Amino acid sequence: LTMVKQKNKFRFFIWLGVLILIVLGAYAFWPKSSGKVIKIGVAVAQPGLADEWGQGELRAIRLLVDKINDGGGVGGQLLELIAEDTKSDNVGTVNAIQKLINIDKVQIILGPTWGDSFGGGNPVAEQAKVVLLSPSASLEVAEETENLKYFFSAWWSQADELDALIRFVLNNEGGKVAVVHDPDAWTTKMSGLFIDMAKETDLQVKEFEVVLGEQNFRTTLAKIKNFGASWIFVMLQDPAQLGPFMKQLKEMGLAIRVFSTASTQNEKILKDFSSVVEGLIYSYPATSGEAYDSLVQEYLDKYGSLPSTPVFVNAYNAALAVVEVLKQGARTGEEIRSALT
């Protein structure tokens, strides 16, 4: 009986030693952290008309943050993402930003999705001196509506994009252009910029405004036919509305070419209106190069699908900019603002 107890005791110490070695080995390879985390707020659309963009933003941001944390974080501190749903409207955006600021005490928020259309949270962040860095907001709209010091965007210049579209039309026979938009801040601003820029060329333009969320465009299309348009530049808050727009255009037998901006990229249109969207033209950012191809592959490996909107690159770059300023030691909203500037 004594020999059995001694053997069991011996085995116990062997297994204890093995367990200690396993723990020490895991610790050696585990990302080192000071025990504190750096909170980063994310305000993105989940359900609603901007959900495809919001999900792409969140995935791209998480892709980078996971890589940073796997490498030990920033200065020994891991990054903690706190994501809130903006619900694709102004009320949801305000609520998301207020929660991130007042409850979670973040100093930087990546978002909101479509921060030009849903800018209700901008004054909240401005008053709290918390930085908003939106991957999908036009600075042309934000700068016009408010004097914002803490609002940044990773989106590209709209003037450059509209210039490319105008040159495309001019290089393809030109003619009369009908400009269709709803009263959303983003679509109104882009349409106005387009009209102003087009007037400096040989193009003839005429503006047609529809109500927000319009589904029946037949009356507007009849007016466009009477105008004698060869082209329609269309800007609608919900890109999925282009499905009914194209369907009714073809049902009326109108051979008018339709074009828009990169905001038109939308998988729902392709899924629900694949038979009628053929011929819809839209601009898209240049996506060639080793860095871009590598990022797309990382996205595919992590999520099992390709990104469906152009915003994932902007979201990744926005997160990358935040990481860089954190590496410089910026922690408060004022420090982050100064470093980003």
Side-chain angles (χ1 to χ4, degrees):
L1 182 62
T2 302
M3 289 181 64
V4 171
K5 287 182 177 179
Q6 287 176 339
K7 286 181 180 179
N8 287 340
K9 188 175 182 180
F10 181 68
R11 288 173 180 168
F12 170 77
F13 282 111
I14 289 177
W15 283 110
L16 180 62
V18 170
L19 180 61
I20 291 172
L21 289 173
I22 291 173
V23 171
L24 289 175
Y27 177 77
F29 290 98
W30 198 262
K32 301 301 185 294
S33 171
S34 64
K36 297 181 180 179
V37 297
I38 303 173
K39 294 181 179 180
I40 298 177
V42 183
V44 292
Q46 300 290 329
L49 56 92
D51 61 344
E52 188 176 349
W53 288 64
Q55 289 170 18
E57 290 172 333
L58 181 57
R59 283 184 167 190
I61 292 166
R62 195 175 298 283
L63 177 64
L64 177 66
V65 168
D66 286 350
K67 285 199 296 183
I68 296 299
N69 284 341
D70 288 344
V74 175
Q77 292 181 278
L78 298 182
L79 305 178
E80 180 187 355
L81 283 184
I82 305 174
E84 291 295 326
D85 179 13
T86 65
K87 303 185 185 300
S88 297
D89 61 34
N90 261 310
V91 174
T93 299
V94 171
N95 290 339
I97 289 175
Q98 285 181 332
K99 192 265 183 183
L100 289 168
I101 292 173
N102 299 324
I103 305 299
D104 300 304
K105 307 299 183 183
V106 303
Q107 295 294 305
I108 171 71
I109 297 173
L110 289 167
T113 304
W114 294 2
D116 38 29
S117 292
F118 309 127
N122 296 349
V124 177
E126 198 75 15
Q127 184 175 5
K129 296 184 177 180
V130 170
V131 171
L132 293 180
L133 173 48
S134 175
S136 55
S138 162
L139 280 177
E140 284 94 338
V141 176
E143 289 172 347
E144 181 179 85
T145 55
E146 297 168 274
N147 181 25
L148 301 173
K149 296 181 180 179
Y150 286 81
F151 186 90
F152 294 82
S153 177
W155 199 249
W156 52 78
S157 164
Q158 292 303 146
D160 291 344
E161 183 175 12
L162 295 177
D163 179 66
L165 288 169
I166 290 171
R167 284 187 285 109
F168 174 82
V169 172
L170 289 170
N171 290 334
N172 287 272
E173 300 177 6
K176 294 182 177 181
V177 182
V179 178
V180 178
H181 69 90
D182 54 29
D184 173 72
W186 145 262
T187 60
T188 300
K189 178 64 177 180
M190 293 308 99
S191 298
L193 277 175
F194 180 90
I195 291 170
D196 290 342
M197 294 172 67
K199 285 180 177 178
E200 297 179 3
T201 70
D202 294 333
L203 296 177
Q204 298 180 55
V205 294
K206 186 173 182 178
E207 186 176 9
F208 297 86
E209 183 171 328
V210 297
V211 300
L212 200 65
E214 180 65 86
Q215 294 295 316
N216 187 348
F217 300 96
R218 289 180 176 83
T219 300
T220 299
L221 287 170
K223 293 178 181 178
I224 290 172
K225 178 183 177 182
N226 291 335
F227 171 59
S230 301
W231 300 85
I232 301 174
F233 175 61
V234 58
M235 293 293 299
L236 301 170
Q237 184 191 71
D238 183 358
Q241 288 175 265
L242 277 162
F245 185 90
M246 293 293 293
K247 183 174 184 292
Q248 292 160 29
L249 176 82
K250 294 189 176 184
E251 287 174 347
M252 294 175 67
L254 302 180
I256 305 175
R257 288 165 288 187
V258 181
F259 67 106
S260 188
T261 66
S263 62
T264 299
Q265 170 71 21
N266 185 283
E267 292 298 314
K268 184 174 176 58
I269 300 175
L270 296 177
K271 179 181 178 182
D272 296 344
F273 296 95
S274 58
S275 62
V276 295
V277 295
E278 183 65 36
L280 175 63
I281 302 164
Y282 58 89
S283 48
Y284 203 84
T287 55
S288 60
E290 184 178 343
Y292 176 83
D293 294 340
S294 175
L295 181 59
V296 170
Q297 188 60 52
E298 287 181 40
Y299 189 101
L300 178 61
D301 292 342
K302 187 174 182 67
Y303 299 113
S305 62
L306 292 171
S308 61
T309 70
V311 77
F312 88 101
V313 179
N314 306 68
Y316 187 90
N317 286 338
L320 189 61
V322 170
V323 169
E324 289 302 313
V325 301
L326 292 175
K327 286 180 179 179
Q328 295 173 24
R331 291 294 183 271
T332 68
E334 292 185 70
E335 290 171 346
I336 294 169
R337 172 189 174 273
S338 177
L340 283 175
T341 300

